[in-house]
Amino acid sequence: MKSIHRYSLVNELCNSEDAKELLMTLVAGTSQYHSLKHLRSWETKEINDDKSEKLISDLDEMRGNITHILKNIDGDLSIEIRAEIRVASK
């Protein structure tokens, strides 16, 4: 039976400093997971995990984009951050 579950990971209104810390933590954790997965693939099978390698590159780009966006936001404004986890069996 197929099922979909959704979980709210983050639903915050915060200043730009807290927003940067929260977003960088989420990106860094995801990047670390894929880096370890890539390393395990190399150590056990001696092959590159191209999917993880691409995701790491995308996350590095995302990190730069987020930093740029947050630098250009007026310091008096609040930033809304929402992150959802969707788990679906297929």
Side-chain angles (χ1 to χ4, degrees):
M1 180 168 88
K2 296 181 182 182
S3 63
I4 298 174
H5 303 276
R6 296 176 192 270
Y7 303 95
S8 177
L9 182 63
V10 178
N11 189 4
E12 294 283 328
L13 191 61
C14 48
N15 63 41
S16 62
E17 187 176 308
D18 289 343
K20 182 177 180 180
E21 182 179 352
L22 177 57
L23 291 168
M24 292 299 113
T25 300
L26 290 171
V27 171
T30 305
S31 183
Q32 181 181 17
Y33 166 78
H34 288 290
S35 293
L36 289 172
K37 185 176 176 200
H38 179 68
L39 179 62
R40 267 189 243 115
S41 179
W42 178 254
E43 287 178 339
T44 59
K45 302 172 193 165
E46 294 187 5
I47 58 171
N48 278 331
D49 182 346
D50 294 333
K51 183 177 177 185
S52 286
E53 211 168 67
K54 169 80 169 99
L55 287 168
I56 292 165
S57 176
D58 291 349
L59 289 164
D60 286 343
E61 183 178 338
M62 183 187 306
R63 184 181 295 120
N65 291 341
I66 290 169
T67 299
H68 178 75
I69 290 166
L70 293 177
K71 280 183 183 176
N72 293 315
I73 291 178
D74 183 347
D76 294 333
L77 295 176
S78 294
I79 298 167
E80 180 181 18
I81 301 173
R82 291 186 184 188
E84 179 183 85
I85 296 174
R86 181 178 177 264
V87 179
S89 58
K90 295 188 176 201

